[in-house]
Amino acid sequence: MYENTKVTRLTKFVDALPIPPKLQPVTRNNAYTYYEVTMKEGKQSLHRDLPFTTVWGYDGVFPGPTIEVDSGEKVFIKWMNALPRKHMLPVDFTVHGAHKGVPEVRTVVHVHGAVVEPESDGYPESWFSANFEQVGPTFTKKIYRYDNYMNSCTLWYHDHALGITRLNIYAGLAGMYLVRSAFEGSLNLPSSSYDIPLIIQDRSFRPDGSLYYPTQPDEPVSDLKTSVVPEFFGNTILVNGKVWPFLKVEPRKYRFRVVNASNSRFYRIKLDSGQLMYQIGTDRGLMERPIGIRSITLAPAERADLVIDFTNLKGTSIIMTNDAPAPFPEGDKENEIMEIMKFIVDLPLRHIDTSVIPSYMESIPKLPQQTPANKRFLTLDHTMDQFGREIMLLDNKDWDAPISEKPKLWSTEIWYLINTTEDTHPIHIHLVDFQILGRRKYNVERFIRDRVIEYTGSTIPPEPQECGKKDTVRANPEEITKIIMNFGPYTGLYVWHCHMLEHEDYEMMRPFLVIRNDSNK
């Protein structure tokens, strides 16, 4: 069923970039907005030269419809599963949560970056099968509540079911979630049809148009029919569900909400024209001031809010390129994909461009480092499992180990992410946004041997592109990454994990519990 034949060549820049539809509410009044979204199987044309591809999508489309909300708006969403009962991709039943005895197809939705009550966060064991016939052990409600306490920001929503997240997202279960505000509107940024989401993913295809995902790693596990792989890298790039698309633009400024929604691939994005891009936002909102950049690195789940100015470029074509190694940071040449999409500046200017790139946007107060409630030293580890496969862990604990991180409500904590592996891991923490304090080289061998931190260099400050509110951070090899965050406004059960989906699915995820101040630590 899962033969390994892959399409090796597809022509670039022959399909127009699709713009995902905007989700329409079932009910909207002064008190709340209510949506319903059904996960369904469907067929889509992902490239001119491919037969239609079977995908799983929110409301049957890949990527899902864009959800736009106002800051502070109370939103309810009923997420419904109408997917087939057998998975379209190869399931490894040795992966935690994917064992025999649970439905092969199950889903739960996480709005990535949302400040949300725990019951609505998409906890990995709160899954549900088709028509809610079976539910996971922590499932409590069918209708999720989002109070949207965030300022304006670029979020995304995706599946988060324990043990099969990598497969469900690869099948198509991802979409944009944009939070807007009156203040953001007053900045006169490019808006309406000039404010465009770019959901970047990599995929591989079989000749019949179906999605290809490997059944085994490069060194197959003889004891298993299907095995989880260490990472996955497709041989094509899709933006908004099209392979290497083009976008025709007017000679004016455009705003692009860029999300890396790939399983494992990092992107280092540039424009082949050499011109500046203007970054105005990070994962969780606007920056204090825009910065002009010629490249930006995005790990899986990281976002960037960019303005690109095509003024005076009529008649030209510009390619958005990528030169990030895969795996990151020490990649294999065979995994390289150098192009993402093309902009063609040939549309007539409909009206004078009065939008601006503001000199100042919003204040981001620094969290105080002097008296954090807790400092946690947490390792990123790799070991071998019973089949001889590499397995990635957080703090050398698997998913089912007792909860060890219990921050108190409204407490400020500093986490030191001690990477003992050879990979850069994008670490995502649910509920909170954080600030990156810096990274520092250390003696990995001595730490592994003696559990002693010996720094070998001075603190490396965060990159200018990271100086804002973050919810995902690149923890590099041979470095300790230091972040600071405040836990609130909710108590309850959340998770933190690597957002390389193959790592997340195979043990590199841990629960944490936000407790009340009067609780025992």
Side-chain angles (χ1 to χ4, degrees), residues 390-426:
E390 187 173 65
I391 184 170
M392 298 287 182
L393 301 173
L394 295 174
D395 209 31
N396 217 28
K397 299 180 179 74
D398 60 26
W399 168 254
D400 289 327
I403 297 174
S404 48
E405 284 67 60
K406 298 180 181 179
K408 292 183 177 180
L409 181 64
W410 299 122
S411 67
T412 298
E413 294 199 354
I414 293 177
W415 287 17
Y416 296 77
L417 304 174
I418 306 170
N419 191 349
T420 70
T421 79
E422 296 180 353
D423 291 330
T424 293
H425 296 280

Side-chain angles (χ1 to χ4, degrees), residues 1-10 50-51 89 170 203-216 232 235-236:
M1 178 179 179
Y2 302 115
E3 70 278 6
N4 289 329
T5 306
K6 286 188 286 185
V7 174
T8 56
R9 292 181 182 274
L10 288 171
L50 279 176
L89 298 170
Y170 190 78
R203 298 287 186 271
S204 294
F205 300 93
R206 297 189 184 90
D208 66 359
S210 62
L211 290 168
Y212 166 83
Y213 190 89
T215 58
Q216 289 278 358
F232 171 80
N235 62 10
T236 68

Side-chain angles (χ1 to χ4, degrees), residues 290-433:
I291 57 173
I293 56 174
R294 298 199 187 277
S295 69
I296 185 168
T297 300
L298 294 179
E302 284 191 298
R303 283 92 66 210
D305 200 339
L306 304 175
V307 174
I308 300 177
D309 192 351
F310 299 105
T311 304
N312 300 323
L313 294 175
K314 187 169 178 61
T316 64
S317 294
I318 299 164
I319 295 175
M320 178 181 281
T321 65
N322 165 54
D323 66 356
F328 194 89
E330 301 293 335
D332 297 328
K333 189 77 174 174
E334 64 181 19
N335 293 328
E336 287 185 359
I337 300 181
M338 305 299 290
E339 294 165 314
I340 297 173
M341 64 175 293
K342 177 187 280 189
F343 301 102
I344 303 173
V345 193
D346 73 347
L347 293 180
L349 189 65
R350 285 189 288 173
H351 48 74
I352 294 173
D353 179 15
T354 59
S355 67
V356 300
I357 302 171
S359 59
Y360 182 85
M361 287 169 292
E362 68 175 47
S363 174
I364 304 176
K366 299 294 184 185
L367 291 174
Q369 298 184 47
Q370 292 76 16
T371 55
N374 217 329
K375 293 183 179 181
R376 300 185 191 270
F377 294 82
L378 302 163
T379 55
L380 316 183
D381 309 284
H382 63 91
T383 185
M384 306 302 284
D385 72 2
Q386 60 181 318
F387 300 103
R389 300 177 297 189
E390 187 173 65
I391 184 170
M392 298 287 182
L393 301 173
L394 295 174
D395 209 31
N396 217 28
K397 299 180 179 74
D398 60 26
W399 168 254
D400 289 327
I403 297 174
S404 48
E405 284 67 60
K406 298 180 181 179
K408 292 183 177 180
L409 181 64
W410 299 122
S411 67
T412 298
E413 294 199 354
I414 293 177
W415 287 17
Y416 296 77
L417 304 174
I418 306 170
N419 191 349
T420 70
T421 79
E422 296 180 353
D423 291 330
T424 293
H425 296 280
I427 299 299
H428 171 47
I429 304 175
H430 287 216
L431 175 66
V432 302
D433 64 75

